[in-house]
């Protein structure tokens, strides 16, 4: 009966983390979560008697700026799964992966579960070799920390002269997170511009509370968050008001 079941909490969300999904292979459970709008994968091994799960040493200890998904190939017979990933500068790539590889490789090896080269990969739409993707935080008017992602050239000079495009949405609990930006890369980044995405309130980056914080009489908080990111870009020498452009669509 229910009283005889031993429950174990594998993940509990916080104000800065959120549950994404879980999937399973024959002997492993894969848990995907978001930590400050970055992706994190954890692997748990199902013990032989099926009574418990133990966290694998090859699990990620730090979240990464990327979007990824895991889909088992045959949950009853195999520990292999399809791993798909992309980020701001890397187009979507499909890999064959094997959760059992984490038992035989160094825990420091990145994405050690991947088997070989990509099975499929979308072609790059722009040159991203010298680009960096970074995450920063601005402080909004009410003291709330607002994260944002920046894509820039690695040799960018902090002289305020850099053409900068700031994008935001902040509505309907829709999250802005790492994804391949083909159009902005080709039309803006290749020409030396800086691209920024602000994770302002009204979106779903930190769950329902982040969305609800900018509704109705508090709608101004979404705009204050966006302004705070713009001011942070100026204060840190990325741009000046005359070199900063703002963009949004629909709700944004």
């Amino acid at each position: 009966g229910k009283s005889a079941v031993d429950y174990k909490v594998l993940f509990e969300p916080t104000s800065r983390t959120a549950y994404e999904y879980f999937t399973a292979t024959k002997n492993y459970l894969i848990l995907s979560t978001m930590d400050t709008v970055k992706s994190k994968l954890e692997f748990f091994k199902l013990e032989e008697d099926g009574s418990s799960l133990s966290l694998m040493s090859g699990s990620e200890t730090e979240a990464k700026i990327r979007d990824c998904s895991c889909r088992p190939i045959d949950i009853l017979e195999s520990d292999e799964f399809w791993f798909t990933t992309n980020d701001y500068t890397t187009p979507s790539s499909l890999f064959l992966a094997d959760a059992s590889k984490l038992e035989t490789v160094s825990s420091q090896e990145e994405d050690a579960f991947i088997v070989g080269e990509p099975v499929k990969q979308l072609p790059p739409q722009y040159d991203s070799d010298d680009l960096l993707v970074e995450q920063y935080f601005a402080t909004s008017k009410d003291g709330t920390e607002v994260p944002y992602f920046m894509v820039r050239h690695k040799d960018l000079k902090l002289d305020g002269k850099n053409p900068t495009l700031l994008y935001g949405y902040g509505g309907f609990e829709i999250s802005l997170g790492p994804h391949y930006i083909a159009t902005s890369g080709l039309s803006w980044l290749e020409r030396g511009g800086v691209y920024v995405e602000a994770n302002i309130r009204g979106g779903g980056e930190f769950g329902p509370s982040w969305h609800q914080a900018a509704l109705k009489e508090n709608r101004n908080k979404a705009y204050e968050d966006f302004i705070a990111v713009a001011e942070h870009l100026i204060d840190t020498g990325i741009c000046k008001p005359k070199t900063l452009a703002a963009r949004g669509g629909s709700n944004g």
Side-chain angles (χ1 to χ4, degrees):
K2 186 176 180 180
S3 60
V5 177
D6 182 19
Y7 291 96
K8 178 182 179 181
V9 176
L10 299 182
F11 173 77
E12 189 170 352
T14 67
S15 61
R16 291 274 141 167
T17 61
Y19 168 79
E20 285 279 281
Y21 64 88
F22 82 89
T23 189
T25 67
K26 181 180 180 181
N27 297 295
Y28 301 89
L29 181 142
I30 306 170
L31 175 64
S32 175
T33 59
M34 294 295 288
D35 185 344
T36 322
V37 206
K38 296 182 291 187
S39 173
K40 186 175 182 180
L41 289 177
E42 292 181 298
F43 291 77
F44 295 83
K45 184 176 182 180
L46 179 64
E47 300 303 329
E48 289 186 8
D49 61 0
S51 63
S52 62
L53 292 165
S54 56
L55 181 64
M56 299 288 295
S57 61
S59 296
E60 293 176 353
T61 56
E62 293 186 7
K64 298 178 180 178
I65 303 176
R66 69 178 180 186
D67 176 52
C68 63
S69 68
C70 303
R71 291 171 294 159
I73 293 175
D74 186 340
I75 191 173
L76 298 178
E77 299 293 337
S78 172
D79 289 317
E80 293 183 330
F81 60 96
W82 295 118
F83 177 68
T84 308
T85 183
N86 71 94
D87 58 48
Y88 285 107
T89 60
T90 308
S92 183
S93 302
L94 173 67
F95 296 87
L96 176 64
D98 188 337
S100 67
K101 283 192 65 182
L102 295 175
E103 306 241 26
T104 59
V105 298
S106 168
S107 60
Q108 302 301 314
E109 186 177 337
E110 186 171 325
D111 294 339
F113 49 80
I114 288 178
V115 179
E117 297 298 313
V119 177
K120 290 283 187 180
Q121 186 174 36
L122 291 177
Q125 301 299 310
Y126 66 96
D127 183 6
S128 62
D129 288 345
D130 293 322
L131 297 179
L132 292 179
V133 181
E134 300 166 311
Q135 186 183 49
Y136 294 96
F137 298 86
T139 302
S140 195
K141 186 177 181 179
D142 64 358
T144 300
E145 275 199 337
V146 180
Y148 66 90
F149 292 104
M150 180 194 303
V151 188
R152 65 172 180 86
H153 194 278
K154 66 180 182 181
D155 296 325
L156 184 81
K157 294 181 180 180
L158 301 178
D159 56 8
K161 297 180 181 179
N162 305 289
T164 303
L165 177 61
L166 171 59
Y167 177 77
Y169 190 74
F172 303 103
E173 209 170 330
I174 294 173
S175 301
L176 293 184
H179 60 281
Y180 190 56
I181 48 173
T183 303
S184 297
L186 184 63
S187 62
W188 188 252
L189 293 170
E190 273 198 344
R191 300 183 181 190
V194 177
Y195 180 76
V196 178
E197 281 190 352
N199 303 115
I200 61 178
R201 281 174 285 183
E205 286 85 349
F206 297 118
S209 62
W210 193 252
H211 166 60
Q212 294 163 6
L215 295 180
K216 298 181 180 179
E217 68 273 12
N218 292 318
R219 186 59 190 156
N220 59 293
K221 294 186 182 297
Y223 306 117
E224 290 170 358
D225 290 357
F226 194 78
I227 292 169
V229 173
E231 292 176 339
H232 194 257
L233 292 170
I234 294 167
D235 292 342
T236 53
I238 297 297
C239 59
K240 295 178 180 179
K242 66 180 180 181
T243 63
L244 174 62
R247 176 176 172 262
S250 181
N251 180 74

